[in-house]
Amino acid sequence: MDYVSALVPPVVMAVFFIALIVIIVKSQGGPNKTKEDAAVDATFARAESAKQTARPENV
């Protein structure tokens, strides 16, 4: 019976880890993908704009 109590925690953690990976993969894309992509694009645009205004390039 000691081997059962030794194997239960790793098996439970493995099941939860696999479930987490499945949830992450399933949440990629779908109706929220466009909203998430737009938010990331806006953040990159703001960062690029801030970088250019902080250090204008010599022309």
Side-chain angles (χ1 to χ4, degrees), residues 5-59:
S5 62
L7 289 176
V8 168
V11 170
V12 170
M13 287 191 302
V15 168
F16 282 121
F17 181 71
I18 291 170
L20 176 67
I21 298 301
V22 168
I23 289 170
I24 290 172
V25 168
K26 283 187 176 183
S27 69
Q28 299 299 308
N32 291 330
K33 183 174 180 14
T34 309
K35 193 177 0 174
E36 292 169 359
D37 288 347
V40 170
D41 290 342
T43 303
F44 281 139
R46 266 185 268 141
E48 185 67 28
S49 173
K51 188 186 341 177
Q52 287 180 356
T53 56
R55 185 178 43 121
E57 295 188 22
N58 297 332
V59 178

